Amino acid sequence: MPIPGSGLAKGLAVTLRTMTRRSVTAQYPDVQPELPPRTRGVIGLFEENCTVCMLCARECPDWCIYIDSHKETVPAATPGGRERSRNVLDRFAIDFALCMYCGICIEVCPFDALFWSPEFEYAETDIHDLTHERDKLREWMWTVPEPPALDAAAEEPKEIAAARKTAEKLAAQQAQAEAEAQAQTQEKEGEA
């Protein structure tokens, strides 16, 4: 049977041990914290990959992504071909006052235009300044760390294996064609 008040004594012992330890304070502005490798800070935009498909804006539960675009006509690539039209990005902004950092926009982007950046120092004095335009999002893109290396024991991706097989097949055909061409030139030299 436990002694009455033993729980209180254990609690006080923990408190006394903690009180006698020196507190460790991180001197934040002077010393930057060591963040884990894939920290979620803000969202960076790789503008060249954005096709203005609007998936990120449609899937955002907070509706904090603002995208404006216009259509541009691209001339035909070949003579006699038809002109194409494509979307051109005019504005891409994220309101970080509304964003809940869920990452849905990054997951649904089919063209890898959005990435997590470990950048976390973007506080503003006015809440209206938390809407960051594409220029600022582009700056954050360069702070995105490289993805971790693939597992060495992992199986090669199917796409790469298929591309390698096609390249080897083409190289073999080219080598065979060169061998045949060499044989023909030797025959012609032997006849002459």
Side-chain angles (χ1 to χ4, degrees):
M1 186 159 162
I3 301 172
S6 64
L8 179 64
K10 287 180 184 177
L12 286 173
V14 170
T15 304
L16 287 173
R17 266 195 313 252
T18 307
M19 283 177 52
T20 58
R21 288 189 196 145
R22 242 180 117 71
S23 62
V24 179
T25 304
Q27 302 297 327
Y28 164 64
D30 301 325
V31 179
Q32 292 293 321
E34 290 186 30
L35 300 172
R38 301 297 288 173
T39 300
R40 289 183 174 193
V42 292
I43 298 168
L45 171 69
F46 191 55
E47 202 173 321
E48 287 78 13
N49 287 356
C50 184
T51 60
V52 196
C53 65
M54 303 285 219
L55 275 175
C56 55
R58 276 186 270 152
E59 294 296 324
C60 180
D62 291 333
W63 291 76
C64 64
I65 300 174
Y66 310 111
I67 301 175
D68 292 331
S69 66
H70 70 274
K71 290 215 183 269
E72 191 175 87
T73 304
V74 179
T78 59
R82 69 177 194 146
E83 295 179 336
R84 306 277 180 181
S85 67
R86 68 180 185 108
N87 288 329
V88 177
L89 185 65
D90 291 329
R91 178 181 187 225
F92 193 104
I94 299 177
D95 187 354
F96 286 103
L98 295 176
C99 183
M100 65 181 188
Y101 304 93
C102 63
I104 293 174
C105 57
I106 295 169
E107 295 296 323
V108 300
C109 182
F111 302 104
D112 289 334
L114 297 173
F115 294 90
W116 281 115
S117 167
E119 201 64 36
F120 63 92
E121 297 173 317
Y122 58 95
E124 301 288 343
T125 55
D126 186 13
I127 196 167
H128 299 293
D129 294 335
L130 283 173
T131 301
H132 294 290
E133 298 293 330
R134 69 182 186 181
D135 298 332
K136 187 67 174 176
L137 299 176
R138 172 86 173 183
E139 287 176 29
W140 286 330
M141 182 60 210
W142 306 121
T143 63
V144 173
E146 288 186 24
L150 296 175
D151 184 11
E155 169 181 316
E156 187 177 43
K158 295 175 186 172
E159 295 86 358
I160 294 175
R164 186 183 324 282
K165 186 185 269 187
T166 304
E168 288 171 356
K169 188 176 179 181
L170 288 174
Q173 288 175 350
Q174 189 176 20
Q176 184 180 3
E178 288 175 4
E180 289 174 3
Q182 229 176 15
Q184 288 177 356
T185 55
Q186 287 177 354
E187 283 180 20
K188 288 181 183 178
E189 289 174 3
E191 291 174 3

